[in-house]
Amino acid sequence: MNARGVGRRAFPVIYTDQVSALAAFYELLGFVRHIQHPPAGPVRFVALRRDAAEVGVAATDGTARRAGSGPVEMFVFVDAVDELVDELRARGVPVLREPADTPWGERVAQVGDPDGNPVALAAPA
């Protein structure tokens, strides 16, 4: 299994109906906004970092809707989404969302960990 990952990055994504307010809260804790989708208009996703720590904040509806049952998912960059999903499926890992290209230029799938928590797998599209 090749899950080394692009840039070896992984971070939690918190889903909310209040993306701007939750992102502003993390900014009060010293996090700095480095990605926002879309760049203008209603905010659907914000990525924040503080030193080596990262957190994402995403809308609970629309294109960033969570497929899992929890309000938080782990977002992990991998080398090849489709191949890893095929290998995980063969090992009995539940696939919550099939691989698909996103409007922001990544290929993303979602699987469930052994406790049923959602884990997004992503790579550049």
Side-chain angles (χ1 to χ4, degrees), residues 26-103:
Y26 280 96
E27 289 171 324
L28 292 173
L29 299 179
F31 284 80
V32 176
R33 190 178 301 221
H34 69 96
I35 296 173
Q36 176 177 307
H37 294 298
V43 180
R44 309 286 308 142
F45 175 81
V46 174
L48 302 117
R49 51 171 81 118
R50 187 181 81 185
D51 301 323
E54 292 186 69
V55 64
V57 179
T60 55
D61 58 347
T63 60
R65 185 178 182 96
R66 63 187 162 90
S69 60
V72 177
E73 78 177 339
M74 181 59 74
F75 200 92
V76 180
F77 285 94
V78 300
D79 291 326
V81 173
D82 293 78
E83 291 83 356
L84 184 55
V85 166
D86 289 344
E87 183 168 340
L88 292 172
R89 186 187 332 266
R91 293 174 181 251
V93 173
V95 176
L96 305 176
R97 186 174 62 212
E98 294 294 330
D101 292 335
T102 66

